Structures are given as C-alpha cells and as structure tokens.
C-alpha cells in the first residue's frame, strides 16, 4: 500500500524580551538557580501578573510577518495542572482567543517549488521552570529532584500549524522558515541548543488517497532541525509497520531519543488530562487598536520571502542563490553590505557563498563571526573587478585577510606584490622565455590538429603564470600566447 | 446533573486533594446539594448573552519591558520547606 | 480612649491629648485582657506596634503627621505583611512569614498607621461565620454565643469590642458588610478595582476587594483616602483619580432617590430585621430623600452564579499551595503525587476543600459550558439589573443580611449558610460598591440584642456618595455609638 504522511507542528519560540511576560524578573539565560525567579514567578500568595508590552508587540510582529489576522481582542486563560516546574499550578496561556489568528508560511521544496503551510494561530504563554535530576536526597535518603524556576514566566509564542506537511523534509523546511522569520524580526535568538525554539510534532499516516486523517502521535520537545527530520522518519516507519502488521496507532505522547534514534511512548499510565481552561481573572482582555497594529506593520523589517524575491527580481540572482542568501538575516545583511561596496550582486553572491561560506564551514563559524568584514570582502572584489589582481591572487588575498595578515586587500596586494602584470611587453618577454625553454611542447603544439591546440595551450599558460608568480593577467597571457604559438605554426 | 462518588474522587484527583473513599462519601452529599442549588441557573434562558468575566469593562494595561526585580532568592527561600543549592526539592520526578 | 472613633482619635493625637504610644499601649492592653475570649486576632505584634507608634510620635513632633499618623489598625490575616506571620486562617500557611507587604499595607504604613496585628478570618476568606478558621472561631462581642460573621469576622469583632478603632477587611461575597452588620460596625466594600489586590491572598480574583471596617462612615472615608488608588502591580486596579472621600460627607440628602429592591424584602427576611431597616429608611425620608420600589429581577440567581464562579477561581488560585515553595508540606512524601495530595489534604480545612472540589468539578470537561459559561452569562444579567436600577435611583437600600448574627454552631448545612448571603453576593458579581451601617438591634431582651445592618449600594465608583448617605444617617441616629458590654471588662 502507498502511505501518505501528515504532519503538523507546534513550535514554541522564546521571545527575546528583557523581562518576563508577567513580571520584572530577567530572562537572561544561564543564571544561578532561582536567582531570576521573583515573587510573581514563584507564585507567592497574593502576587499578580502584569503583561509585558514587548511580548505583545513581538507576537503581533510575527502575526504580521505571516500575513495573519490580528484579532482586536485576545484573552489569557489558565491551563490547570500540577507539576513541580509550574509554580502556580496553572500555566497562563491563550486557549480561546489567541493574539494571532490564521496565517501562512511559505516553504521551498527540494525541487525548488514553493508550498504554503497554513498557521492555525499563534498564542502567548508563559514558560515553565526546569527540573534537575541531580543526586539530591531527603533526610531518609530518598532521591529528590531540584526545581529551578529561572525560566518560569519567560514569554513563549506558540505557533500552531495546520496538518499541511507531507514529509519530514517539509516539516524541517517549515521549521527553518519559522526560524528565519523570528530571527529576521529579532523577536527571538532562535537558539535551539538553549531551548529558545522547541517543537512538538504531530504525525499520522494514511493510505494515499484517503481523505480522513489517521490517528496521530505527538512527539514532544524535539529540539533541532535534524532531530525533527529523524524523529518523523522513525515515527512514520513505526506507524506504517504497526498498521501493516495489523496493529493500530494509539493517540499518545511520545519522546524522541536522539541517541537511539527512536521515539518511545511517555508514561503509559498517564491519565487523560483535563486542563480546566478558563479566562484568567487576574488579567483583562488585551485590546489592540488598528493604529497600533498599523504602526507595527510599518516598522516591520524586510522579511525572508520579500528579500528572496528582491534578490531574484532586482539583483538578478538565481532562485537558489537568493534562497541561500536570504535564509538568515545575518547572511542577507552581510551579502548586501558586500554588494554595496563592490557594486556587483553576482560577484558578491559568488564570494559570499563560495570562498567565505567554505571558510566559515571549515572552521565551524557563523557569519557574524567572520574574520573578514563585509566591506573588506567588497574591497577585495573591487580589486578583481578593476583588474588590479587576478582571480588566483584574489584567493591568496582572501586567505591573508582571513588569517589576519593585513588590514585591507590593498595592503595585502602591496605587501605580497600581487598586483597583476598587464604590461604587454613584460608578458611577451615571459612568453618568449617559456617558448624558448619548451621546445618539445612547442613541437607537439605545432604537430597537433588545430582543434586540439586549444587544450594544449594550458601548459604554456601555467608556465607563464608561474614565471609571473601568479600576477600576470591570465586573459592577456592567453591571447598573447595564442598569437605567438600560432605564428610558429 | 447528579453528582456521583466517582465524580468527587475524580475532582479530588485533579485538584490533588488526598481523599479516602470515606472522605469522598462525606463530601458527596454536600457537594450534590450545592450543585442542585447551582442548577437553578439552568432555568434561565441566557441565549445570546455574552459571558462576563470582569465586572468592569476595562482592558489590560501593558508593562514596559524593564528588568525591575533583583535577586531575592535567599529571602524567598526562607519560607520554603526543602531547598538545596538554591533549588526547591521535590520527590524524584520520573520522565 | 477606645470609645472614640478613628476621626476623634486623629483629632486627639493632633491636639496632643495623648500620644500614639499611649493609645497603642491602651489598645494592646485591651487585646491582652479581652481577646482571649473573643479570639479576634491570630497574631498580635506588640513590639512592631510600639515601634511604629514611637515612630509616629516622632514624626508628629517633627511636624510631619497626616490624618492617619499614629492610629492603630487591625489587618485581616489575608493581607501579606512583610516579616509577619500571614496565615489566611489556614493550617496550610500556619508558619508562613510573608516576604513582602500587600499594596494596601504599604499605603497604611506610609500613612503612619500602627498595625496591632493580624485579624482572624474564615480560612482563605471562605465563610460567613468565621467558624472556618484553623485558629478557632471568633465570638461576637455583643453575644458570645453568636458568630461575628465572616469572613472578616476577626476584623469586625476587634473593632466592635474596641480592641482596634479600625480594621482592614476583604469582601468577595459580603465578607466586609455581613460581619460589619453582625457586629454593629460600619464596613465599606469599594468598587472592584478601586483598591489594589496586590498582596491579598486570593480567594476569587474577579470578586475580591479590600475595604475599611470602622465605627463610622466618616472613619471609613478617612481610611479610603489612604487605601484607594492605582497600583501598577494589579492589572485589575483602575487608574482613576481618587476623590477626597471626607469632602462630601455632610452634603444634604434633599432629593436623594432611594430604591428599595423588592427582592430584598421577600421570603426569608426576619421580620424584626425588616422592621429595623424600614425604620432606618423612614429616617432618610425625614432627611429629604424619596423612596420607591425597584426590582433586581435576577437576584435569586446570584447565589448559584457565585457558587460557580468563586469556587472555580478559588480552585485554580489555591493550586499554588503544593508544599514545594512555601506552606505546609506533609511528612516523608513517597512520591510527587503523594506530596501534593497529603500536603493539600492536611493543609486545607473542610470548607476550602469543598469549594476546591466544586470549582474543579464545574470547570472540568463536559461541565464548563453548563456551569461556568452559564454563570458568567447570568453575571452579566445581574450587573445589568443594577445598572438599570441606577438609571432611576441614586442608591439602593435594604438589609445587609436576612437575619441577625446566628448562634455559633447553628448553621451546619453549607447550602443554607450560602443562601444567607443573598443580599450581599450580587454586589460582588456586579462589582459595585456597598456599605453596611448599624441600624438597630434585634433580640428577645434589649440587653441581648444582636445588631442589624442597613446596606446601601451605589453604582460603580460611587463610594463618595455612599459614604455621604451613610454619614448623614449616623448624624441622625446613634446605633453606631452603641457599645457591647464585655464580660471581662466588668470583671
């Protein structure tokens, strides 16, 4: 039987506010346990929440970025359950009237085609604390868990997709799109290793052509792009095998174990949840007027989709190049700065994606850490374009700048004597010397069929370049060599 | 909507109140009569009436995104039943 | 000294008749002698009180005294008080020393008041008799066999017995007005959002409101000038100017339009209470007011709606008491669920457990629409009843309670106890202000009379008007000046 996979994602994005969603405690990562848990975060008797305006603005910006409806009124609800990392015994969230209504995100499929993934809604909520399973014991020697509530109350935007994805790759592409939108907007650092972006994946399978969905399993807390793909691949295979063996998929929560590369059921005795949602009486309805939303719309930065389109339409880049360069805000900004200095989008794109990306990858660096700034790289490209240096020398200059030898392309060119030789007399002298030193090759050239000679000229070019220590203009060398050799025939 | 013994135990579990069967029986009668009193509401036609969550028609005020709360861990943990290394201790949570 | 009103004491301190320290010692002495029998305080803070009194006297000597400087008050033990035991009347918080002050407590401290201690209450403010306190019932100073009312029963008893000239209470369904009526004092529940809830241990967040309890409306006005106003830490506390509540107290009542809700004079109202209230209303007529009957047609749905909304909010508000960060923790929990279940079963008393169970049940899957949503719809109808009535009249009047204080232990059935709050509970659902003023006594023999309260209701933010209407009554009557005879006082 042919199976079709159906995937929906719930992405939790930590918003990059300074303070928590309902209190004035810091959200900074990595502090000593419970030093950033104030009275409100601890849920002390008598404390009350007040909503952070920045969290609201960030949520609305995200909504606008995915072309979503922004309802005038949104309401906070309480989701009631007991867990030690949930200090009040309820999570303040938005169940019925979320801050962001339906929208959509465009992803690019492997074949380059675009697909729209619908977002059902996005809502604001507070994060929980963390349980630390170190070796604590109570008086009787019983094992204990330590609770750190620093993270409790950090603002989260939960982005809930429709079940529109049909493969692990689509899910990963969607997650990357969300990542690039939130980092473009600057509303999250998108750091998945620190948990700034976390994801629950709903997966089901159905026979191809069947309209209704199969029973889904929810895989909790998948925390990297790669794990999302692997978890889905495993889960799809598990469900298909289960059904083909005559079994049934049960609706349940599963955990992905990256070490074993499998998903497994969470506590089977887990009782059905009943969260008893009701409107939080300590918070009032959030009303956003049109002027406020319009103001945020006007101040939105250019988004990945818009950038990609502009890179293609205005700068003439290929769809592939535009996609790669627009994928992250930092990459796009770097590219645009290089382009501004050198004035040539294609050259800038080639250098950023070629030499620079290669070097960054080799050293495991991100573009913000590049030892060569965008203007420096732009200047280097200028020197190639104005024929001061040739391509080979340019790579030498790049390496020198990368390793910190010299502050600018010009300085390196000067210091290493890489300036291109374009003086015809000087090049001709070098050519004459090479011809004189290579009687065998000259003879071979002469004896060859005219259409084979083109290939054979390479040897002479190489020798002349070597004689010039790479500084001769290769086009000139080519042309002059051809003239001189053909004259000998 | 008559209340049953199992409903009391279910609510007690959701609310994490440790009730014995006898405790539940003890509460059942009172709770049943409270719900009976509450069921008077069903007599009223409320079709089309918007629920009222707050007595004033006010809207949420927003707080500037500033860090205003200093570290007061030691002060706040003075009333905590069990702490170690700044962490609140609970019986081992099995994931 | 203890027979004076807060306003009179303020004048005496200003005139140098005695010092705050002397007044404070006098009140502490009375508490020491008399409160063993009354049990109106859970915690008395003599050292802190003396220190605050000395501080107030020093400030006065520097010429830096306001109207409340040096005046002793009792604080319901539902308000967090920094460094002072804050129990909410519960075993759950029997050892809880609050690490911060409630917003209202900050304001009272800044105004120079002297806190005598923390007043007894029904556990987590759930009750109408003060019998639901983990620290024992409070006795009514007028009759030691009667309840003082609740939940602010300790606050009301302390003021009535002259242990404190004024107290802070909270009112979720009548918890200021009903004990004020039962104890023969004056108690104001302000408009929801008028006074900060920051630091008040929550019972039902959309209904809770703090207010003053004192001998007279004038005293309540004086306290309101300090406790009312915006607090940025409470999202539901309104940013709206605070008038001088004492400014209009003496305004004449000529032309005042009084509405008598016919539903407040129906079945279940004790005829003697009704007679006292009607007598009070005739006083208003003699002061130039006009009286007409009005209707609040949804009155009988108020108690049912309340017993959905308040327990639902309470069940959630009380989830934080889990034995982890503060409060009671059971011995040697075997696992997490055991920690929760035993800590909470041991820490919460019966009425609190009952309301948690009701709230949990009505919010749970399959019941939400039938109970919670329905109750909120009815809440809108109830509010509309009041808003409609206030189109035609300035204030509403009626009895605060259907009967005078009942006997300790007499109300065994929770439902009939809940139904006693029929005249007070709708006010919280609607969020309007209400005041109870002493309006006579009911009893077989005059010496054993139990006080009757007249309730006056106004539209949102009409506190100034209510205080004016109450004050003029107190200028014309002397019910508020009567004092109970305390057995121990004579001994």
């Amino acid at each position: 039987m042919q199976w079709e996979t159906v995937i929906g994602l719930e992405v939790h994005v930590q918003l990059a506010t300074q303070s928590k969603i309902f209190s004035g405690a810091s959200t900074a990562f990595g502090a000593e346990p419970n030093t950033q848990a104030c009275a409100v975060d601890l849920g002390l008797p008598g404390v009350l929440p007040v909503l952070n305006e920045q969290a609201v603005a960030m949520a609305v910006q995200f909504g606008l970025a995915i072309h979503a409806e922004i309802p005038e009124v949104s309401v906070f609800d309480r989701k009631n359950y007991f867990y030690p990392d949930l200090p009040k015994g309820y999570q303040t969230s938005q169940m019925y009237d979320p801050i962001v209504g339906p929208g959509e995100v465009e992803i690019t499929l492997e074949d380059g085609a675009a697909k729209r993934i619908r977002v059902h809604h996005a809502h604001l909520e507070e994060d929980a604390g963390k349980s630390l399973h170190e070796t604590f014991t109570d008086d009787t020697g019983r094992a204990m868990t330590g609770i750190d509530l620093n993270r409790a109350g950090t603002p989260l935007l939960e982005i809930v997709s429709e079940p529109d994805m049909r493969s692990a790759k689509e899910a990963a592409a969607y997650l990357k799109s969300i990542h690039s939108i939130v980092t473009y907007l600057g509303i999250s650092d998108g750091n998945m290793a620190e948990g700034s972006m976390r994801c629950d994946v709903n997966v089901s399978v159905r026979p191809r052509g069947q309209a209704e969905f199969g029973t889904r399993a929810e895989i909790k807390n998948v925390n990297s792009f790669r794990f999302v793909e692997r978890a889905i691949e495993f889960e799809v295979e598990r469900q298909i095998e289960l059904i083909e063996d005559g079994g049934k998929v049960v609706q349940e929560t599963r955990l992905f174990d990256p070490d074993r590369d499998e998903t497994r059921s969470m506590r089977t005795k887990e009782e059905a949840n009943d969260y008893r949602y009701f409107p939080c009486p300590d918070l009032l309805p959030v009303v956003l007027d049109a002027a406020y939303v319009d103001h945020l719309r006007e101040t939105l930065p250019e988004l990945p989709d818009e950038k990609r389109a502009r890179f293609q339409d205005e700068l003439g880049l290929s769809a592939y190049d535009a996609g790669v360069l627009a994928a992250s805000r930092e990459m796009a900004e770097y590219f645009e700065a290089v382009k501004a200095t050198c004035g040539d989008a294609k050259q800038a794109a080639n250098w950023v994606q070629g030499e620079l990306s290669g070097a960054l990858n080799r050293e495991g660096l991100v573009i913000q850490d590049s030892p060569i700034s965008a203007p420096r790289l732009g200047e280097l490209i200028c020197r190639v374009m104005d024929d001061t240096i040739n391509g080979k020398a340019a790579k030498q200059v790049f390496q020198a700048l990368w390793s910190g030898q010299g502050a600018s392309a010009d300085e390196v060119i000067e210091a290493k004597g890489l300036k291109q030789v374009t003086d015809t007399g000087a090049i001709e002298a070098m050519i004459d010397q090479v011809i004189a030193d290579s009687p065998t090759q000259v003879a071979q050239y002469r004896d060859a069929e005219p259409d084979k000679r083109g290939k054979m000229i390479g040897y002479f070019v190489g020798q002349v370049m070597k004689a010039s220590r790479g500084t001769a203009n290769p086009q000139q060398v080519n042309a002059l060599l051809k003239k001189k050799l053909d004259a000998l025939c | 909507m008559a209340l049953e013994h199992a409903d009391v135990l279910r609510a007690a579990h959701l609310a994490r109140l440790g009730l014995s069967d006898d405790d539940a029986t003890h509460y059942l009668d009172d709770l049943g009569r409270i719900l009976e009193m509450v069921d008077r509401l069903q007599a009223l036609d409320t079709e089309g009436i918007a629920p009222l969550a707050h007595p004033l028609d006010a809207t949420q005020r927003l707080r500037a995104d500033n860090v205003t709360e200093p570290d007061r861990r030691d002060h706040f943990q003075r009333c905590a039943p069990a702490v170690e290394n700044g962490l609140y201790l609970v019986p081992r949570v099995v994931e | 000294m203890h027979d004076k009103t807060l306003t009179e004491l303020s004048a005496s301190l200003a005139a140098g008749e005695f010092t705050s320290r002397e007044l404070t010692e006098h009140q502490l002495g009375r508490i020491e002698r008399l409160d063993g029998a009354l049990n109106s305080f859970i915690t008395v803070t003599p050292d802190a009180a003396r220190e605050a009194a000395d501080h107030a006297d020093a400030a006065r000597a520097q010429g830096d005294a306001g109207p409340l400087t040096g005046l002793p008050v009792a604080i319901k033990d539902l308000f967090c008080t920094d460094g002072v035991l804050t129990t909410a009347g519960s075993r759950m918080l029997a050892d809880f020393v609050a690490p911060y002050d409630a917003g209202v407590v900050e304001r009272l401290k800044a105004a120079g008041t002297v806190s005598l201690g923390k007043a007894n209450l029904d556990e987590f403010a759930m009750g109408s008799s003060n019998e639901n306190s983990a620290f024992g019932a409070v006795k009514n100073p007028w009759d030691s066999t009667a309840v003082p009312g609740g939940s602010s029963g300790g606050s009301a008893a302390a003021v009535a017995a002259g242990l404190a000239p004024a107290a802070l209470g909270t009112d979720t369904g009548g918890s200021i007005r009903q004990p004020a009526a039962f104890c023969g004092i004056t108690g104001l529940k302000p408009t929801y959002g008028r006074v900060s809830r920051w630091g008040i241990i929550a019972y039902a967040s959309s209904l809770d409101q703090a207010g003053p309890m004192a001998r007279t409306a004038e005293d309540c006005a004086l306290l309101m000038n300090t406790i009312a106003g915006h607090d940025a830490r409470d999202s539901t506390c309104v940013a709206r100017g605070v008038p001088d509540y004492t400014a209009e107290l003496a305004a004449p009542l000529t032309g005042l339009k009084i509405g008598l809700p016919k539903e407040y004079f129906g079945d279940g109202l004790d005829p003697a209470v009704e007679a006292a209230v009607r007598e009070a209303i005739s006083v208003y007529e003699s002061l130039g007011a006009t009286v007409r009957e009005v209707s609040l047609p949804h009155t009988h749905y108020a108690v049912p709606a309340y017993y959905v909304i308040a327990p639902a909010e309470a069940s959630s508000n009380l989830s934080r008491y889990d034995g982890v960060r503060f409060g009671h923790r059971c011995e040697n929990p075997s696992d997490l669920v055991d920690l929760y279940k035993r800590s909470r079963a041991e820490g919460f008393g019966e009425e609190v457990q009952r309301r948690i169970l009701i709230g949990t049940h009505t919010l749970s899957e399959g019941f939400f629409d039938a109970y919670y949503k329905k109750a909120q719809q009815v809440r809108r109808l109830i509010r509309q009843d009041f808003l409609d009535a206030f189109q035609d009249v300035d204030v509403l009047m009626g009895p605060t309670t259907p009967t005078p204080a009942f006997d300790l232990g007499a109300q065994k059935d929770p439902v009939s106890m809940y139904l006693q709050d029929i005249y007070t509970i709708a006010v919280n659902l609607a969020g309007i202000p209400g005041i109870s003023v002493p309006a006579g006594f009911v009893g077989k023999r005059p010496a054993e009379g139990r006080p009757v309260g007249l309730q006056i209701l106004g539209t949102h933010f009409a506190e100034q008007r209510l205080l004016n209407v109450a004050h003029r009554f107190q200028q014309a009557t002397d019910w508020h000046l009567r004092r109970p005879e305390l057995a121990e006082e004579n001994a």
Side-chain angles (χ1 to χ4, degrees):
Chain A
M1 188 179 311
Q2 287 279 316
W3 294 94
E4 183 177 50
T5 306
V6 176
I7 302 160
L9 257 58
E10 292 165 19
V11 184
H12 296 80
V13 176
Q14 270 187 2
L15 297 177
T17 54
Q18 299 297 306
S19 64
K20 294 188 176 170
I21 184 166
F22 298 123
S23 83
S26 169
T27 55
F29 182 79
E32 282 293 300
N34 291 311
T35 55
Q36 289 174 182
C38 72
V40 172
D41 307 324
L42 295 172
L44 289 181
V47 299
L48 297 167
V50 185
L51 182 58
N52 184 333
E53 66 175 359
Q54 197 58 32
V56 170
M58 287 174 166
V60 173
Q61 285 173 317
F62 175 80
L64 293 171
I66 63 161
H67 316 290
E69 205 179 291
I70 308 295
E72 192 190 351
V73 179
S74 70
V75 174
F76 283 93
D77 300 294
R78 290 184 182 177
K79 178 182 183 179
N80 294 283
Y81 66 97
F82 284 85
Y83 206 70
D85 63 13
L86 188 71
K88 300 184 296 294
Y90 58 82
Q91 180 193 30
T92 309
S93 180
Q94 298 187 303
M95 176 65 177
Y96 301 106
D97 297 295
I99 190 155
V100 174
E104 57 183 28
V105 169
E106 192 174 284
I107 62 169
T108 309
L109 304 180
E110 278 175 303
D111 62 4
K115 177 173 176 177
R116 289 184 192 288
I117 306 296
R118 290 169 303 155
V119 170
H120 180 271
H121 77 270
H123 65 259
L124 280 170
E125 61 186 25
E126 56 184 340
D127 208 343
K130 282 181 180 164
S131 303
L132 299 163
H133 310 286
E134 291 163 32
T135 47
F136 296 109
T137 50
D138 69 1
D139 303 342
T140 63
R142 205 175 273 131
M144 303 294 272
T145 291
I147 305 296
D148 173 12
L149 297 171
N150 280 349
R151 200 180 65 181
T154 299
L156 290 179
L157 186 66
E158 180 173 339
I159 304 154
V160 181
S161 84
E162 296 284 0
D164 281 357
M165 287 151 275
R166 294 292 175 267
S167 71
K169 288 240 176 330
E170 285 187 25
Y174 169 78
L175 193 59
K176 280 181 188 154
S177 273
I178 297 287
H179 186 269
S180 101
I181 292 168
V182 298
T183 52
Y184 256 78
L185 291 171
I187 62 172
S188 176
D189 65 16
N191 188 333
M192 295 185 92
E194 287 178 6
S196 300
M197 227 174 116
R198 313 193 289 272
C199 175
D200 298 341
V201 189
N202 287 300
V203 183
S204 65
V205 297
R206 63 180 170 188
R208 200 168 285 282
Q210 178 182 304
E212 60 268 32
F213 295 131
T215 306
R216 65 189 159 88
E218 183 181 23
I219 314 169
K220 282 269 183 206
N221 263 324
V222 196
N223 296 337
S224 83
F225 298 117
R226 208 156 42 92
F227 291 171
V228 165
E229 276 195 62
R230 277 166 50 188
I232 294 171
E233 278 160 9
F234 171 85
E235 181 59 21
V236 167
E237 209 170 300
R238 185 188 73 88
Q239 291 187 11
I240 293 173
E241 267 178 39
L242 189 64
I243 300 169
E244 288 183 340
D245 290 349
K248 260 189 174 170
V249 177
V250 278
Q251 186 162 344
E252 62 177 352
T253 305
R254 298 179 69 85
L255 270 184
F256 178 62
D257 181 342
D259 296 330
R260 295 196 196 156
D261 212 3
E262 62 176 29
T263 67
R264 61 168 186 273
S265 184
M266 285 173 81
R267 282 157 297 173
T268 44
K269 65 167 194 171
E270 185 186 22
E271 70 255 14
N273 285 315
D274 185 342
Y275 292 124
R276 289 159 283 136
Y277 283 98
F278 76 107
C280 178
D282 287 327
L283 290 162
L284 298 166
V286 179
V287 175
L288 303 174
D289 61 41
Y292 173 81
V293 175
D294 287 345
H295 168 73
L296 287 177
R297 186 181 283 118
E298 281 156 21
T299 52
L300 278 189
E302 189 180 32
L303 291 161
D305 286 355
E306 297 161 358
K307 253 199 212 305
R308 194 183 314 123
R310 182 166 59 83
F311 286 178
Q312 275 182 263
D313 300 345
E314 288 179 23
L315 305 182
L317 300 186
S318 69
Y320 177 80
D321 285 355
V324 172
L325 290 171
S328 91
R329 183 174 179 165
E330 290 77 15
M331 179 69 95
E333 280 172 355
Y334 189 99
F335 159 72
E336 295 208 74
V338 173
K339 193 221 125 200
T341 309
C342 77
D344 187 310
K346 282 187 187 156
Q347 287 284 349
N350 287 343
W351 274 90
V352 171
Q353 286 193 80
E355 211 65 22
L356 181 72
S357 292
L360 290 170
N361 286 343
R362 267 195 303 281
E363 304 208 5
L365 296 177
V366 291
I367 199 148
Q368 302 92 294
D369 303 331
S370 168
I372 305 179
S373 71
R376 296 294 90 75
L377 182 59
E379 287 162 11
L380 168 56
I381 297 169
C382 286
R383 292 299 160 262
V384 178
M385 289 170 61
D386 67 11
D387 285 338
T388 304
I389 52 172
N390 60 40
K392 194 169 173 201
K395 288 184 182 176
Q396 279 180 265
V397 176
F398 181 89
Q399 276 312 321
L401 290 173
W402 182 270
S403 48
Q405 309 161 30
S408 69
D410 288 341
E411 202 182 300
V412 174
I413 292 165
E414 192 59 45
K416 295 194 182 265
L418 295 175
K419 197 159 184 210
Q420 184 160 251
V421 178
T422 51
D423 170 26
T424 311
I427 295 175
E428 278 181 339
M430 284 187 275
I431 291 174
D432 291 343
Q433 190 60 49
V434 168
I435 289 176
D437 292 347
S438 318
T440 322
Q441 285 81 0
V442 171
Q444 282 169 351
Y445 186 90
R446 200 168 39 214
D447 296 344
E449 297 289 321
D451 61 328
K452 297 271 165 64
R453 284 177 182 160
K455 268 192 182 166
M456 299 177 73
I457 206 165
Y459 165 79
F460 298 98
V461 173
Q463 291 301 307
V464 175
M465 291 307 288
K466 197 170 166 186
S468 75
R469 291 175 299 109
T471 60
N473 179 309
Q475 286 80 30
Q476 268 178 298
V477 171
N478 243 308
L480 290 170
L481 256 174
K482 193 159 187 305
K483 208 159 91 188
K484 285 201 182 253
L485 285 169
D486 287 350
L488 295 173
C489 297
Chain B
M1 282 175 276
L3 192 74
E4 289 173 17
H5 192 264
D7 296 326
V8 179
L9 285 176
R10 180 185 142 77
H13 178 67
L14 282 173
R16 297 296 185 270
L17 280 175
L19 295 196
S20 66
D21 270 4
D22 286 352
D23 294 332
T25 306
H26 168 76
Y27 282 117
L28 179 61
D29 180 51
D30 283 349
L31 297 180
R33 281 180 314 106
I34 294 167
L35 288 179
E36 207 174 287
M37 181 266 287
V38 159
D39 274 337
R40 268 194 222 161
L41 295 175
Q42 308 310 328
L44 207 54
D45 180 10
T46 52
E47 182 78 32
I49 308 281
L52 181 71
H54 293 278
L56 303 177
D57 296 307
T59 60
Q60 181 62 36
R61 214 164 358 89
L62 303 178
R63 176 178 63 77
D65 180 25
N66 298 323
V67 175
T68 53
E69 300 303 310
D71 168 24
R72 298 181 72 201
R73 181 177 79 181
D74 293 345
H75 186 63
F76 290 145
Q77 291 192 337
R78 230 169 275 159
C79 59
V83 285
E84 197 174 314
N85 299 340
L87 296 160
Y88 295 96
L89 293 191
V90 298
R92 172 61 54 94
V93 178
V94 225
E95 289 279 343
Chain C
M1 251 179 232
H2 59 268
D3 281 336
K4 294 192 175 208
T5 67
L6 199 67
T7 309
E8 288 163 355
L9 289 170
S10 178
S12 296
L13 289 176
E17 290 167 29
F18 43 77
T19 63
S20 171
R21 178 64 185 258
E22 287 162 349
L23 174 59
T24 300
E25 291 294 354
H26 177 77
Q27 297 295 358
L28 289 171
R30 282 183 69 78
I31 294 169
E32 175 77 34
R33 281 199 313 282
L34 303 170
D35 203 45
L38 284 176
N39 197 30
S40 67
F41 282 88
I42 291 174
T43 304
V44 183
T45 52
D47 294 343
R50 290 185 180 108
E51 199 181 311
D54 288 345
H55 188 76
D57 286 331
R60 190 175 297 281
Q62 298 289 311
D64 184 20
L68 292 184
T69 301
L71 293 174
V73 293
I75 294 170
K76 185 180 187 180
D77 205 11
L78 199 65
F79 293 84
C80 283
T81 42
D82 196 5
V84 176
L85 196 63
T86 299
T87 69
S90 182
R91 185 174 176 216
M92 182 59 85
L93 294 176
D95 300 315
F96 178 67
V97 176
Y100 74 107
D101 275 330
V104 175
V105 172
E106 285 175 351
R107 282 171 174 263
L108 284 176
K109 276 189 182 173
T113 64
V114 173
S115 170
L116 297 169
K118 308 294 291 289
N120 206 340
L121 70 163
D122 283 302
E123 184 178 2
F124 285 100
M126 297 180 194
S128 310
S129 69
N130 215 122
E131 293 168 298
N132 300 331
S133 168
F135 301 88
V138 178
K139 303 230 165 76
N140 191 316
W142 293 92
D143 182 341
S144 63
T145 63
V147 301
S151 67
S152 310
S155 297
V159 172
L163 307 188
L168 271 186
T170 65
D171 190 317
T172 306
S175 283
I176 285 175
R177 292 159 290 152
Q178 185 254 24
F182 280 10
C183 290
I185 64 162
T186 307
L188 172 71
K189 181 209 96 80
T191 306
Y192 182 81
R194 178 74 288 186
V195 177
S196 169
R197 292 189 297 115
W198 173 258
I200 300 175
I201 295 177
Y203 160 23
S205 312
S206 77
L207 302 159
D208 294 343
Q209 186 63 195
M213 303 174 80
R215 299 260 162 72
T216 65
E218 189 177 24
D219 291 355
C220 288
L222 197 59
L223 283 166
M224 278 296 283
N225 279 351
T226 292
I227 65 172
H230 183 55
D231 184 341
R233 296 164 298 186
D234 174 3
S235 298
T236 64
C237 185
V238 297
R240 178 184 171 116
V242 178
D244 176 356
Y245 290 105
T246 61
E248 299 291 327
L249 285 172
L253 300 185
T254 321
L256 177 77
K257 287 182 276 182
I258 299 172
L260 305 184
K262 64 176 188 209
E263 294 80 6
Y264 285 25
F265 291 87
D267 288 348
L269 176 58
D270 182 322
V273 171
E274 178 170 359
V277 167
R278 295 226 182 253
E279 175 63 27
I281 288 157
S282 70
V283 171
Y284 277 104
E285 286 175 308
S286 72
L287 291 172
T290 60
V291 175
R292 74 176 76 165
E293 186 181 271
V294 298
S295 175
L296 301 170
H298 297 95
T299 296
H300 288 281
Y301 298 102
V303 174
Y306 177 91
Y307 277 96
V308 174
I309 291 167
E313 293 182 7
S315 71
S316 178
N317 284 336
L318 268 57
S319 292
R320 69 191 59 199
Y321 304 100
D322 59 3
V324 177
R325 297 163 317 286
F326 45 78
H328 177 73
R329 181 184 181 111
C330 66
E331 294 281 332
N332 298 319
S334 62
D335 59 24
L336 193 60
V337 173
D338 184 46
L339 166 71
Y340 289 150
K341 288 196 168 178
R342 274 202 292 134
S343 299
R344 291 167 61 78
E346 292 166 6
F348 293 135
E350 189 170 322
E351 181 60 23
V352 172
Q353 295 198 20
R354 200 179 281 125
R355 294 195 195 187
I356 289 175
L357 290 169
I358 283 288
T360 304
H361 177 74
T362 54
L363 283 178
S364 63
E365 220 173 307
F367 297 104
F368 180 84
D369 281 0
Y371 288 124
Y372 193 78
K373 188 176 164 214
K374 184 88 181 177
Q376 285 205 325
Q377 290 173 314
V378 173
R379 184 174 189 180
R380 183 174 295 277
L381 296 174
I382 287 167
R383 184 180 71 164
Q384 197 57 46
D385 281 357
F386 285 109
L387 297 180
D388 290 346
F390 289 124
Q391 294 291 316
D392 300 326
V393 298
D394 301 315
V395 293
L396 296 170
M397 287 190 191
T400 307
T401 59
T403 67
F406 43 86
D407 288 346
L408 280 157
Q411 293 282 359
K412 299 228 184 305
D413 171 38
V415 175
S416 57
M417 178 102 89
Y418 298 167
L419 291 169
Q420 300 273 319
D421 292 335
I422 179 159
Y423 307 140
T424 51
I425 236 165
V427 169
N428 299 77
L429 291 169
I432 58 171
I435 190 168
S436 178
V437 293
F441 290 84
V442 169
K444 295 188 197 90
R445 287 172 294 166
E448 287 178 8
R450 294 182 184 178
V452 171
L454 168 73
Q455 183 175 229
I456 311 166
L457 307 177
T459 195
H460 296 115
F461 301 103
E463 287 82 358
Q464 202 176 28
R465 187 63 160 159
L466 291 188
L467 289 162
N468 158 230
V469 171
H471 177 73
R472 292 299 303 218
F473 180 73
Q474 294 183 333
Q475 296 297 99
T477 59
D478 68 351
W479 302 116
H480 61 290
L481 299 178
R482 307 283 178 93
R483 295 284 174 268
E485 276 182 34
L486 297 170
E488 293 80 353
E489 215 166 7
N490 298 333

